[in-house]
Each structure stands twice: as C-alpha cells, then as structure tokens.
Amino acid sequence: MKTNLGAEAGTSRRSAKSDSAFRTISEAAKELGLQQHVLRFWESKFPQIQPLKRAGGRRYYRPEDIDFLANIRSLLHDQGFTIKGVQKLLDQNKGKLPSEITVSSAEAEQGTAIPAAAGVQQSATHLPSIDTAALKSVLGDLQELQGILQASLREVKKNP
C-alpha cells in the first residue's frame, strides 16, 4: 500500500535547499514570486542574466542570478522603473545595479520620485562642483510649491 509520506518528505527536502544551490527556472520563479515566462523574457532584455543551460535547454540559476533577478524585480515592480529605465541604469553602471536605489512609498504616491533619473546617486559626494546649499534651497521652494498645489487640488476636489 502506497502512502503520501514520501511525497511530503521530498517536498520538504526541496524547500530546504541551500542558499548556494542552483535553482531551476520553476524554483527561481516561485522564490521570486514571478512566472517562468517573465524570467525568460528578462533574459532577453538583460544580458547580465545568464543561467547555466544543460542539454535540452534546462536552465539553472546561480545564487548571484537570483539576487540580480530580485533586484530587477524590486526596481520594476516595487519602485516603478521601466525595463528601459533599468537597462539605462545598468548601462550607466557597467552592468551592475547600484545597491542604494530606493524610493519611499510616500514619494512614489506623491509622484516626487524620479526613477527616470536612473543611475543618479542619492548622495552628492559624486558631484563635488554642485552647490548643495543652493540645491537644498531650490528643493525647499519646490516642496513648498508642491504643498500649495496639493492644497489647491484638494480644495478643487472638495468644491467642484
């Protein structure tokens, strides 16, 4: 008589895969919360994604591939970048993704985030000739204008 215990044991072994182990496309997709066809599509758009391919075309993703895919997923799905924006970011950074690109949800909601400026670092340390005091002053003025515009918009929505 066959029991289902063997199947359960096999499943738990698979989910307890080492972090350094290679992943099949189905395992990678599941881990990243994506569909397999999305991973294949991204391979065509991002030459940095190069899983090992065995005979028959079966893909095996290295841990570095999974990390890279997770970063791309975050940029595209969480931070609002387009594929072209991520490609531009990779071009500007010689195929590497900067680790400090973040957009807060408040910025994304208000539209103040500018993912199109891909590759521009958040700190001004890479731009020594820029007057940071002047930039901060302009930023303050822009934020004040944004507040005025948002208040006006709320007023218009309240009293059409």
Side-chain angles (χ1 to χ4, degrees):
M1 181 159 93
K2 240 180 176 176
T3 65
N4 203 14
L5 293 175
E8 289 175 18
T11 304
S12 67
R13 270 196 305 258
R14 277 192 207 145
S15 63
K17 209 170 200 184
S18 158
D19 286 342
S20 62
F22 285 42
R23 306 279 194 277
T24 63
I25 192 166
S26 60
E27 291 169 333
K30 185 175 181 181
E31 187 173 319
L32 295 165
L34 298 167
Q35 297 290 319
Q36 293 177 27
H37 70 272
V38 173
L39 296 179
R40 286 187 216 99
F41 176 71
W42 286 359
E43 284 177 33
S44 72
K45 295 297 178 185
F46 303 106
Q48 296 83 358
I49 304 170
Q50 295 182 344
L52 294 176
K53 290 186 183 175
R54 293 292 200 191
R58 190 171 176 103
R59 292 166 168 81
Y60 289 94
Y61 292 89
R62 300 171 199 86
E64 307 86 57
D65 295 328
I66 301 293
D67 293 340
F68 189 82
L69 288 164
N71 286 331
I72 289 178
R73 182 193 179 287
S74 175
L75 290 170
L76 293 172
H77 293 204
D78 302 334
Q79 297 183 30
F81 279 79
T82 62
I83 287 179
K84 283 199 182 277
V86 175
Q87 288 171 332
K88 185 175 182 180
L89 181 66
L90 287 165
D91 288 343
Q92 291 173 347
N93 291 289
K94 299 178 180 142
K96 304 279 186 208
L97 288 172
S99 59
E100 295 184 2
I101 296 177
T102 57
V103 177
S104 74
S105 58
E107 287 176 322
E109 254 180 43
Q110 294 175 356
T112 57
I114 307 175
V120 177
Q121 296 293 325
Q122 295 295 329
S123 80
T125 57
H126 296 90
L127 307 170
S129 63
I130 290 182
D131 182 5
T132 55
L135 286 175
K136 286 180 182 179
S137 172
V138 170
L139 178 61
D141 292 344
L142 289 171
Q143 287 172 332
E144 184 179 334
L145 288 171
Q146 182 185 27
I148 292 168
L149 289 171
Q150 286 175 340
S152 297
L153 182 61
R154 281 191 298 273
E155 193 63 35
V156 166
K157 286 181 178 179
K158 196 160 87 176
N159 301 320

